[in-house]
Amino acid sequence: MPRITAPTVAEHRAAQQRALLDAARTLLARTGEAPSMADVAALAGLARPSAYQYYKSRQDLLHALVLDVFPRWARRVEEAMAAQPDPADRILAYVITNIALVAEGEHAVGSALAAVAPSEELNTQSSMMHSQLLDPLVGTLRELGAEDPAATAELINAIVHSATKLLESGTPQEAVNARVTELLGPYVREHRRGASGRQHP
């Protein structure tokens, strides 16, 4: 990876940190083990002592990665949901986007982080992520008139967890998406704007 340059010191520093985080994420996804600072620096195109100018230890780097990976996941899901003009379609967008993130390896990184960097900070961040992920789903269900939006959101999230297991067992992503769409499709169609026979509470 070529050495990064930027027009200002602040931009250069941000770019170096980004390179280190991306390198750590790549190595973690590849091995499932906490990478050494030397390996991370090498992949980022930096000298090992340079890496310590940004992160004082491997644990410090892993905690920074936690704070980077989880919010990016939530942001990706929220953006996919927001792109759907009909609230009902946001439900399927929530599930399909989570499945895509799992297929891309983000779930493996999160699981590996939980294994190699257990801490109160990580547990707190994981709980915050779970809540942050569910918030737009709960809001959408409330908008659709669900009787118990929080409970329904947890049930939909259980579908995501089951889909994750299918992916990890080797089921192709397209097949998982098809089964999820088959399962949630009737609910989504029933609650689309203007759907015939829709009952409002």
Side-chain angles (χ1 to χ4, degrees):
M1 187 178 295
R3 186 174 181 82
I4 300 169
T5 58
T8 69
V9 172
E11 290 173 326
H12 177 75
R13 186 173 181 82
Q16 300 287 56
Q17 287 178 307
R18 179 75 265 155
L20 289 166
L21 288 171
D22 288 345
R25 180 200 175 285
T26 297
L27 292 169
L28 192 61
R30 187 182 299 166
T31 67
E33 298 178 357
S36 68
M37 291 291 280
D39 287 343
V40 171
L43 186 57
L46 299 172
R48 184 171 176 270
S50 297
Y52 285 100
Q53 294 177 17
Y54 301 96
Y55 301 104
K56 61 186 179 182
S57 66
R58 180 170 67 172
Q59 197 72 6
D60 187 35
L61 174 60
L62 291 173
H63 282 161
L65 190 59
V66 168
L67 296 175
D68 182 66
V69 167
F70 288 172
R72 287 169 70 184
W73 181 305
R75 192 159 54 245
R76 174 97 167 262
V77 172
E78 288 169 4
E79 288 172 354
M81 293 178 72
Q84 299 296 328
D86 194 304
D89 291 321
R90 293 173 200 158
I91 296 172
L92 200 53
Y94 172 90
V95 177
I96 295 298
T97 305
N98 272 288
I99 290 171
L101 284 160
V102 172
E104 291 166 16
E106 291 295 328
H107 182 260
V109 172
S111 297
L113 277 170
V116 303
S119 68
E120 184 176 345
E121 179 182 351
L122 177 58
N123 291 336
T124 299
Q125 185 68 16
S126 297
S127 297
M128 288 174 60
M129 179 200 172
H130 181 74
S131 176
Q132 187 179 359
L133 269 178
L134 282 181
D135 281 348
L137 181 59
V138 171
T140 294
L141 291 165
R142 185 176 293 114
E143 185 177 350
L144 292 173
E147 185 174 340
D148 188 340
T152 302
E154 289 289 355
L155 289 171
I156 291 172
N157 215 41
I159 294 174
V160 173
H161 290 312
S162 295
T164 296
K165 292 180 181 179
L166 287 174
L167 285 172
E168 292 175 343
S169 68
T171 304
Q173 182 181 351
E174 296 77 10
V176 175
N177 285 345
R179 299 291 73 75
V180 165
T181 302
E182 182 179 52
L183 180 64
L184 287 175
Y187 184 90
V188 171
R189 288 191 295 272
E190 173 68 18
H191 288 79
R192 281 194 181 117
R193 289 173 179 149
S196 59
R198 179 177 167 189
Q199 298 295 318
H200 293 275

